[in-house]
Amino acid sequence: MPLRAPVQTVTFGQKGLHLLWLHVPSKRLCPLEPSFLRYHLNINSTPSAGTLSPSPLPPFTACQVSGVVFFPLRFDPSIPYTYLTSSQIFPSALWMPCVHSCLRSYLATPFHFLSVGDHAPQSAVPADTAAAPEAGPVLRPLYMDVQATTPLDPRVLDAMLPYLINYYGNPHSRTHAYGWESEAAMERARQQVASLIGADPREIIFTSGATESNNIAIKGVARFYRLRKKHLITTQTEHKCVLDSCRSLEAEGFQVTYLPVQKSGIIDLKELEAAIQPDTSLVSVMTVNNEIGVKQPIAEIGRICSSRKVYFHTDAAQAVGKIPLDVNDMKIDLMSISGHKIYGPKGVGAIYIRRRPRVRVEALQSGGGQERGMRSGTVPTPLVVGLGAACEVAQQEMEYDHKRISKLSERLIQNIMKSLPDVVMNGDPEHHYPGCINLSFAYVEGESLLMALKDVALSSGSACTSASLEPSYVLRAIGTDEDLAHSSIRFGIGRFTTEEEVDYTVEKCIQHVKRLREMSPLWEMVQDGIDLKSIKWTQH
Amino acid sequence: MAASSRAQVLDLYRAMLRESKRFSAYNYRTYAVRRIRDAFRENKNVKDPVEIQTLVNKAKRDLGIIRRQCPLSSGIKSHAQGLQQRQHAVGPGCAVWKGCGMEEPSPKIMGHLNL
């Protein structure tokens, strides 16, 4: 909440002591024993001549070094307290800058505490406020979850900054230079995205992300051709937004076939051919799966679809910029692109919609007709410039990154597999994007392993399904056993991952899996040679 | 403009490595140093002067990017990640705060303190 903090300097008593205080909303304060404040500020609790005795001190907190005291609003300033100011404890040269910085930040930001300086609290700090303070500052975990999102590449941020600072015009303003320069930047970004996938810039529409692109592709195509074509085909391992769009179309009267996948995670092309009916309008298969990293045979699917005159959509959010894609070679009609999976900004994406032969799409979002009428709304220039820069960087770095990520991925898998028995890699090892590794550790619970690996940022499935308690539907679709599905962890390796991070992750993973297995009764039974499948568990 | 000499290219290489080491984020720093080293190594046998000039121009542009981005990355203070040798963290030294179970300061709040 915004803080209105009046700063008052009050003179007390005969000696003209000064106390600086800031009034804060009381519920944010943490009550602290007055003894702490007395110790630090040398407060007299006994009345001395000429001053009134203080009433019991109200709850307050103090910032150790600065000596500024924060009082709750309930505090009645008319009650005089005898305090020595901290300028008599600390030299004022040290105190005043601290106070100034406290004030500056205090007035500028929503309420928050500040820690100024590295003073360890004295022994007067009561036991309930803290355990012994940590030896050093808190470290953030290593980031090994690149399938969820990626950090911004500095080159991308550098390209975006001018459009966030000075060149802030609306690209659809036709009458002045602000609009013209924004539009030029937007078109340049469009060209950069198009050249990454081998498309024409007129075929790229900017959206708010891959989810919106998937919605436009599936709902837009299905609804446009709804009079004659009522059938769609997708797979069981698609992203939630694709499956949910299909489900909402089913409610509108469409039929959807959800193709099963083989144990390797790849669809059976013969099943796909058999599923295509005369009234099929769209086939949607994702290029690289975000949970198990499996690469579908996109070129073959494209060939099948174009020979049967069915539109082919692919969700390439995890694949663009990482593996070479060409929409003409692979006969792709619609493709979804996500900005924040390729080291670009969050909140932007694109959809590729083929013009020759033209794919007609019914617009989901009505408005001023921007983006060829397919996605109305002001195009966010800084974000699309970031997306364009990310695509250009990805095109230049694709080979180098792929080689490096493959090497690191090999290293991770080999080191884990040779030190730990009973580890299964989910997904086809051959048709696999190396940067996404999904391993199942038998006899270990996935959540507890994730908690144990608290200094590495990992996930056990896709971020959008991590809130539910069920194991991931993708793992269920590839036929993993229930217990193995619960113990799967996804390791993500990206452009910025270092060898040391991989080695550290491997070491910690091995250590914790061994520890958790020691505690597991199932592991004991397996070591004794008991076949777990033969056990009859009693019902209570 | 005369083609870049070997000395100029080496100067550029040294300048880029020097600037890259000033990134405060571990991942950016290690990536920049590694990428610069690998890129210069990969192109060390290029003989065509036009191509050399193109590569040098690109390197100069990238040096400008690093120069602009380093202070930005270090100005926004954040808790250090594990494995970072230089700790730029503004630690939650206020014991008062730790006891009451409130969240740690977000880097956004702490960042503009310039401590």
Side-chain angles (χ1 to χ4, degrees), chain A residues 195-251:
Chain A
S195 72
L196 178 62
I197 57 174
D200 189 83
R202 290 171 296 177
E203 296 170 319
I204 303 287
I205 308 287
F206 290 118
T207 60
S208 70
T211 300
E212 188 184 344
S213 303
N214 284 334
N215 271 268
I216 293 175
I218 294 171
K219 292 178 181 165
V221 169
R223 286 175 188 162
F224 190 87
Y225 295 101
R226 83 170 84 90
L227 294 176
R228 286 182 300 130
K229 311 252 182 166
K230 285 246 168 217
H231 182 235
L232 294 103
I233 301 176
T234 184
T235 68
Q236 288 176 2
T237 54
E238 290 296 305
H239 193 263
K240 262 276 156 68
C241 57
V242 171
L243 295 176
D244 210 54
S245 304
C246 291
R247 193 152 44 98
S248 81
L249 285 177
E250 279 183 321

Side-chain angles (χ1 to χ4, degrees), chain A residues 105-116:
Chain A
S105 57
Y106 215 40
L107 295 171
T109 66
F111 171 80
H112 226 317
F113 268 117
L114 310 160
S115 78
V116 183

Side-chain angles (χ1 to χ4, degrees), chain B residues 5-6 10 21 28 30-31 33-34 39 49 51 58 65-66 81 84 86 90 97-98 114:
Chain B
S5 67
R6 186 171 184 276
L10 282 175
K21 295 199 171 119
Y28 289 162
T30 50
Y31 175 75
V33 165
R34 181 182 356 117
E51 205 183 328
K58 181 166 188 310
I65 292 177
I66 298 173
Q81 278 193 330
Q84 262 187 237
R86 287 188 303 169
V90 184
W97 182 355
K98 279 221 280 280
N114 253 343

